[in-house]
Amino acid sequence: MLKEFALHALGALANSNVLCQQSLCTPELFDELMTFIVDEKTSVNSQTVSISVLLNLVSKNSAGQMLLRETGCIPVLQKLFRETLTKSEIDFFNASLKEKYFLWNAVCNTLAAAVNNPQNKENQTICSSILPHVQTLLEARIQAEIIHPLCLLIGLTVAGNTPVKEFFISMGGLDVLADIFTNLAEDSRQNMPSAKMAVSVTCVMGLCIAQNQQNLILLLKNNGLKLIIDSFSASHNEIVGIIVSVVLQNCTIWAEQFLDKLLAYVSNEVSEMENQGRALGHLKKTKETLTKEQFKREEDEEQGPKTESVVGDSLQKDSDQEKALPKQCSELGAQIYHPSANDELESQLESPGGVVTAPEDERRAQQPPKEEQH
């Protein structure tokens, strides 16, 4: 009894003061606690107190998480977790199991603190071995005393750890959570504890499908978001309103993560298509060229022989002739109004009386000049 009092005091010091927590995180204390826990003479209550001290030492303390792993405490805690409560005992839960339940709850919380806040991937991988037993307990009778600790343990074990998420989903854990949520949602309008448990389940489901494109798509395809919202929105209770806001916040997070994944997927697909397009670019151009030539040939066959070049040559010739016409007219006018010397002589000889009245040049000088006609 004195030892239990001392352990209570140490646990309270570690919980209330960071410096005390760091001073107590020694391999010697962890070994002493493990020795006391596994001793067959140790009572269930003393085991519970000892594990509570471990919980206070590892909570929000990476050094405590590491010591818990290196001193071999995690396997001991896992063994207690499996053996303290079984599915058959939960189905017939009664007052005689309360003492064992407190021990189991302390083990569950300590394992949860060992894997996250801060996240510890090594401890997550080690603790993932108890997830099948967790699923077995989830399939038992739905009770808040069981659902809440298990949801906490599952959520922190899978958070930010893709391999552990895939392991939990592959063994059907997410399907079990979905079934539990459906049952709780149907009862949540009349039963507030069921509504609170449903929120815990949705939080775990969110952690399980976070950054998982396949599960996000399935959630949207099966109208899962609407089901979640409609399950709570019918109530006007203030607490239910808070629950709805939490669910909507989770939905927003899911939607944003899905959008990011979708954009990344589309970008990747476009890049692959561009690469394929470059590789097949020459073949595509050749195909387009052949298609255009075939279409042009078929069109020419329908319209008959071409006359465009002949007409073009004719129009070009006419244009050249029009350009040369002023020059020809000018030369012709010069010939008409500037007769040759023989013509001038014949004109003088044929004048009346055969007398030349004036030389041709003088007569021209006396006459007014005539305008040239073209």
Side-chain angles (χ1 to χ4, degrees):
M1 188 178 294
L2 181 60
K3 193 166 188 176
E4 287 184 10
F5 289 148
L7 290 173
H8 272 295
L10 292 175
L13 288 172
N15 183 50
S16 61
N17 190 284
V18 176
L19 295 177
C20 290
Q21 184 189 50
Q22 294 174 352
S23 299
L24 292 171
C25 277
T26 62
E28 292 77 15
L29 181 58
F30 277 77
D31 290 335
E32 178 68 23
L33 290 171
M34 279 297 99
T35 302
F36 187 59
I37 290 171
V38 298
D39 190 352
E40 294 180 357
K41 298 179 181 180
T42 304
S43 66
V44 175
N45 187 59
S46 295
Q47 287 180 320
T48 304
V49 175
S50 300
I51 294 173
S52 298
V53 175
L54 288 176
L55 172 61
N56 292 325
L57 290 176
V58 302
S59 295
K60 302 179 182 180
N61 186 5
S62 58
Q65 293 174 340
M66 181 185 66
L67 278 175
L68 194 72
R69 179 179 70 251
E70 293 180 348
T71 55
C73 295
I74 292 181
V76 175
L77 295 175
Q78 289 176 319
K79 185 175 183 294
L80 286 173
F81 179 79
R82 294 188 184 97
E83 296 178 355
T84 303
L85 285 184
T86 63
K87 181 178 179 181
S88 58
E89 289 177 323
I90 294 175
D91 288 338
F92 299 97
F93 194 81
N94 51 46
S96 64
L97 292 176
K98 285 186 178 181
E99 189 178 24
K100 292 179 65 176
Y101 169 78
F102 289 124
L103 173 61
W104 176 85
N105 188 46
V107 171
C108 197
N109 290 333
T110 304
L111 289 173
V115 298
N116 216 309
N117 196 18
Q119 182 183 2
N120 191 310
K121 288 192 174 183
E122 293 184 44
N123 289 358
Q124 282 179 319
T125 302
I126 296 173
C127 292
S128 63
S129 61
I130 64 172
L131 290 178
H133 184 68
V134 172
Q135 179 177 340
T136 301
L137 296 179
L138 285 173
E139 293 172 346
R141 183 179 175 185
I142 299 177
Q143 289 180 301
E145 296 82 1
I146 302 299
I147 293 296
H148 288 304
L150 291 180
C151 286
L152 176 65
L153 179 58
I154 296 171
L156 295 180
T157 303
V158 304
N161 195 318
T162 301
V164 176
K165 286 181 189 177
E166 293 176 351
F167 171 69
F168 181 69
I169 294 172
S170 65
M171 68 183 191
L174 188 60
D175 295 331
V176 173
L177 289 175
D179 292 338
I180 292 174
F181 171 77
T182 302
N183 294 330
L184 290 173
E186 293 176 355
D187 191 45
S188 62
R189 297 179 182 178
Q190 307 295 332
N191 190 343
M192 185 56 59
S194 295
K196 293 180 179 180
M197 282 191 290
V199 172
S200 297
V201 174
T202 57
C203 292
V204 178
M205 292 172 66
L207 292 172
C208 290
I209 65 176
Q211 300 176 348
N212 189 314
Q213 180 177 342
Q214 184 193 30
N215 286 294
L216 288 173
I217 292 175
L218 289 174
L219 180 70
L220 296 178
K221 275 187 174 181
N222 295 307
N223 207 20
L225 296 181
K226 186 176 185 301
L227 176 62
I228 293 173
I229 297 172
D230 291 346
S231 298
F232 300 111
S233 59
S235 176
H236 298 287
N237 188 283
E238 181 180 356
I239 299 178
V240 175
I242 297 174
I243 295 173
V244 172
S245 65
V246 173
V247 174
L248 290 176
Q249 184 178 3
N250 286 334
C251 293
T252 302
I253 295 173
W254 294 343
E256 290 175 353
Q257 293 176 345
F258 171 71
L259 180 60
D260 293 339
K261 289 290 182 180
L262 181 61
L263 292 176
Y265 173 77
V266 171
S267 178
N268 184 48
E269 288 295 315
V270 170
S271 299
E272 290 183 0
M273 292 177 65
E274 288 178 351
N275 293 333
Q276 293 177 358
R278 293 190 189 100
L280 300 177
H282 179 70
L283 179 61
K284 183 178 179 181
K285 290 180 180 179
T286 303
K287 183 178 179 181
E288 291 178 353
T289 303
L290 293 175
T291 303
K292 290 179 180 179
E293 290 181 354
Q294 182 180 0
F295 177 78
K296 188 176 181 181
R297 185 168 60 252
E298 292 176 356
E299 186 180 23
D300 292 343
E301 291 177 357
E302 293 178 358
Q303 295 179 355
K306 295 182 179 179
T307 58
E308 182 180 356
S309 60
V310 177
V311 174
D313 293 342
S314 178
L315 292 174
Q316 183 65 31
K317 289 179 180 178
D318 293 342
S319 177
D320 293 342
Q321 290 176 358
E322 289 179 359
K323 292 179 180 179
L325 183 59
K327 184 177 180 181
Q328 295 174 358
C329 291
S330 176
E331 294 176 354
L332 181 60
Q335 294 177 3
I336 295 175
Y337 295 102
H338 301 279
S340 63
N342 294 331
D343 292 338
E344 294 177 359
L345 181 58
E346 290 178 359
S347 177
Q348 294 174 5
L349 292 176
E350 292 177 356
S351 60
V355 180
V356 179
T357 57
E360 183 64 19
D361 294 336
E362 294 178 358
R363 187 160 49 90
R364 286 182 183 176
Q366 294 174 358
Q367 294 179 353
K370 298 182 179 179
E371 296 179 356
E372 292 183 356
Q373 297 181 359
H374 297 281

